[in-house]
Amino acid sequence: MTDDVVPIIGGTGALGFGIALRLAQAGTRVVIGSRDEGRALESAARLNAQVDGARAEGAENGDATVRGPIVLLCVPFRNQSENLANLKGVLQPGQILVDATVPLAAAISGRATRLLGVPQGSAGQQAGEMVPDGVEVVSALHTVSAATLNDLRHKLDEDVLVAGDSLDAKRRVAELIARIDGLRPVNAGRLEAAKLIEGLTPLLIGINSRYKTQSGVHISGLPDDLW
């Protein structure tokens, strides 16, 4: 396990692949994880073809997870619980799981502009209950458009709200996010704030649909030193 490698579970999907692209563009080594190793390898080859000098790898989710200390979970809500259950024997104490899951009603054939109720309060809190002891969950990356992430010609300029119960874990995740040019990580408080952050995603989906754009979040009036 090395700090220089970032595993991305669900890296073959639009959000996961977009984050992988941007991190690779910033010089970070990524491992794209998938339930299907073949799909992961194909996605890694596609990324390497798009980003000069990229060294992306593909692996089955379990094999990908053990490669780095900060693991990104970028899967649809309907797959979150299954993925976490499968990774429970793989995640190790000291690792950080960054949960980017949003419980959109689209997971049950509803509207993407509506949020599902989660008994734990949020997808992030559900992840917090499901990971092994000693694994910190940080909730982040819900409001950045997958479409803009995947378009390397698009200049990013927005904030990423980061929530979690460990300040050290949040700082480490913030340092990772800040590698992506145009993204500014903002401390949004404890993990319970994930419910509020996740609710911004369906709101932005509605706004973007209405105005035919890809808007993001920007918090004004913050000091220069956020961490």
Side-chain angles (χ1 to χ4, degrees), residues 160-175:
V160 175
L161 302 177
V162 180
D165 293 336
S166 164
L167 180 57
D168 178 66
K170 285 189 290 185
R171 280 182 175 145
R172 291 173 64 188
V173 172
E175 289 170 0

Side-chain angles (χ1 to χ4, degrees), residues 213-224:
T213 187
Q214 294 293 341
S215 60
V217 170
H218 183 76
I219 310 298
S220 63
L222 294 178
D224 292 334

Side-chain angles (χ1 to χ4, degrees), residues 65-83:
T65 298
V66 300
R67 295 289 303 280
I70 301 178
V71 181
L72 274 56
L73 182 65
C74 303
V75 298
F77 180 66
R78 63 180 177 273
N79 301 127
Q80 185 206 33
S81 181
E82 177 188 357
N83 274 276

Side-chain angles (χ1 to χ4, degrees), residues 192-211:
E192 63 187 22
K195 181 177 182 178
L196 303 174
I197 300 169
E198 292 167 14
L200 293 175
T201 301
L203 177 66
L204 287 172
I205 289 173
I207 290 171
N208 290 338
S209 175
R210 198 169 299 115
Y211 290 101

Side-chain angles (χ1 to χ4, degrees), residues 58-202:
E60 184 274 330
N61 282 335
D63 293 334
T65 298
V66 300
R67 295 289 303 280
I70 301 178
V71 181
L72 274 56
L73 182 65
C74 303
V75 298
F77 180 66
R78 63 180 177 273
N79 301 127
Q80 185 206 33
S81 181
E82 177 188 357
N83 274 276
L84 288 173
N86 291 338
L87 296 178
K88 195 159 188 178
V90 181
L91 287 164
Q92 298 297 312
Q95 281 187 295
I96 298 168
L97 180 81
V98 181
D99 184 71
T101 311
V102 180
L104 298 175
I108 55 171
S109 301
R111 297 175 63 178
T113 53
R114 292 179 180 169
L115 203 65
L116 293 174
V118 182
Q120 292 84 348
S122 67
Q125 289 166 295
Q126 176 169 278
E129 286 193 1
M130 293 191 68
V131 297
D133 291 342
V135 176
E136 290 288 347
V137 171
V138 172
S139 182
L141 295 165
H142 303 89
T143 58
V144 186
S145 163
T148 57
L149 285 168
N150 278 274
D151 182 2
L152 294 179
R153 299 166 300 178
H154 182 93
K155 184 177 180 181
L156 300 172
D157 181 23
E158 56 191 278
D159 293 338
V160 175
L161 302 177
V162 180
D165 293 336
S166 164
L167 180 57
D168 178 66
K170 285 189 290 185
R171 280 182 175 145
R172 291 173 64 188
V173 172
E175 289 170 0
L176 177 63
I177 292 170
R179 295 182 193 179
I180 300 177
D181 189 37
L183 295 186
R184 181 180 67 162
V186 175
N187 187 350
R190 298 184 65 82
L191 188 59
E192 63 187 22
K195 181 177 182 178
L196 303 174
I197 300 169
E198 292 167 14
L200 293 175
T201 301

Side-chain angles (χ1 to χ4, degrees), residues 45-59:
R46 181 159 57 95
L47 188 154
N48 289 332
Q50 288 184 246
V51 179
D52 290 339
R55 294 175 293 164
E57 301 174 56

